[in-house]
Amino acid sequence: TQLLEQSPQFLSIQEGENLTVYCNSSSVFSSLQWYRQEPGEGPVLLVTVVTGGEVKKLKRLTFQFGDARKDSSLHITAAQPGDTGLYLCAGRGRQGAQKLVFGQGTRLTINP
Amino acid sequence: NAGVMQNPRHLVRRRGQEARLRCSPMKGHSHVYWYRQLPEEGLKFMVYLQKENIIDESGMPKERFSAEFPKEGPSILRIQQVVRGDSAAYFCASSPIQNSNTGELFFGEGSRLTVL
């Protein structure tokens, strides 16, 4: 069974600070995605990373896939209250696999 | 173009009753996934279906739970003889035919089941 461990599980910081969320596994993933979930809603895709070492930027968010494709990180610069939410990493194992395995999530709160 | 539609949004059942959760995928999507989420936790995979076929049910409890995706109509997740531990949010997601390895899952807003 492939598992994804996210850390920290809870993070509360002040507006304007920087933060990094980690997603780790002992398994190799063919691709990894980050989703964001608001209360009462379903997750929404932020980014997909495929190549080991890949870095993608989405405004103030920077996503990185580890060289060995076993881990990923999400870095937010100058966090805003609107960044508050549950951030979930999710991975697919073998190439062509349809099932997406999710981490337990990081609950992020940005205080004004 | 409507998104993934789930109903009911909220369902209350007493122990021993049956719960039926419905999911209509996005137009043009023929793959449906069901996930369960407990408070403050991530999503746990339950089952992956295509029209009239169960492709992967490795996350489904062996008893009381079943899922179908008929040729016509929505996908249905059925929980028989519910127990308090079944209380959770159940999310449905869909993807297009021949979704690639990097394809996005489009999620509904979830059905929240409370068992009294």
Side-chain angles (χ1 to χ4, degrees), chain A residues 10 30-31 33 35 37 40-43 45 48 50 86 88 92 94-96 98-100 102-104 107, chain B residues 9 31 33 35 37 40-43 45 48 56 58 91 99-105 107-109 112:
Chain A
F10 299 92
S30 59
S31 68
Q33 296 179 325
Y35 287 77
Q37 185 179 17
E41 299 182 7
L45 180 68
T48 300
V50 179
L86 180 66
L88 297 157
R92 285 187 171 88
R94 60 177 173 81
Q95 192 76 18
Q98 293 289 337
K99 183 173 78 176
L100 205 56
F102 280 83
Q104 79 273 37
R107 173 74 61 188
Chain B
R9 290 293 308 279
H31 297 211
Y33 310 75
Y35 285 83
Q37 185 176 40
E40 302 301 331
E41 291 190 12
L43 283 76
F45 170 79
Y48 160 45
D56 183 344
S58 58
F91 286 93
N99 192 20
S100 72
N101 180 53
T102 60
E104 176 179 0
L105 292 190
F107 283 86
E109 293 183 315
R112 281 147 188 84

Side-chain angles (χ1 to χ4, degrees), chain A residues 21-33:
Chain A
V21 174
Y22 299 93
C23 175
N24 296 297
S25 176
S26 59
S27 303
V28 175
F29 287 89
S30 59
S31 68
L32 198 138
Q33 296 179 325

Side-chain angles (χ1 to χ4, degrees), chain B residues 10-73:
Chain B
H10 300 274
L11 182 63
V12 179
R13 286 287 179 266
R14 297 189 179 279
R15 282 179 295 170
Q17 292 184 320
E18 179 180 285
R20 284 196 184 194
L21 310 177
R22 287 175 290 277
C23 169
S24 295
M26 286 183 70
K27 186 176 181 181
H29 288 193
S30 60
H31 297 211
V32 165
Y33 310 75
W34 284 94
Y35 285 83
R36 176 164 62 178
Q37 185 176 40
L38 295 173
E40 302 301 331
E41 291 190 12
L43 283 76
K44 301 292 186 189
F45 170 79
M46 299 182 74
V47 63
Y48 160 45
L49 311 100
Q50 295 178 18
K51 284 284 187 182
E52 300 184 280
N53 284 306
I54 297 175
I55 306 302
D56 183 344
E57 57 181 347
S58 58
M60 287 280 273
K62 293 291 186 281
E63 298 177 348
R64 302 187 298 108
F65 285 71
S66 62
E68 62 177 7
F69 189 16
K71 185 177 181 180
E72 300 292 337

Side-chain angles (χ1 to χ4, degrees), chain A residues 6-106:
Chain A
Q6 287 187 240
S7 62
Q9 280 192 268
F10 299 92
L11 183 59
S12 180
I13 63 172
Q14 293 301 119
E15 181 177 0
E17 294 183 358
N18 303 330
L19 67 107
T20 302
V21 174
Y22 299 93
C23 175
N24 296 297
S25 176
S26 59
S27 303
V28 175
F29 287 89
S30 59
S31 68
L32 198 138
Q33 296 179 325
W34 285 89
Y35 287 77
R36 178 179 158 186
Q37 185 179 17
E38 303 279 1
E41 299 182 7
V44 175
L45 180 68
L46 295 174
V47 77
T48 300
V49 286
V50 179
T51 307
E54 183 177 4
V55 176
K56 281 192 175 180
K57 292 192 174 183
L58 186 65
K59 296 183 181 178
R60 293 176 294 100
L61 279 60
T62 302
F63 304 85
Q64 184 163 8
F65 202 10
D67 291 342
R69 291 187 286 124
K70 291 183 179 181
D71 55 86
S72 181
S73 64
L74 158 60
H75 182 80
I76 302 180
T77 303
Q80 304 292 314
D83 296 327
T84 294
L86 180 66
Y87 289 82
L88 297 157
C89 67
R92 285 187 171 88
R94 60 177 173 81
Q95 192 76 18
Q98 293 289 337
K99 183 173 78 176
L100 205 56
V101 174
F102 280 83
Q104 79 273 37
T106 294

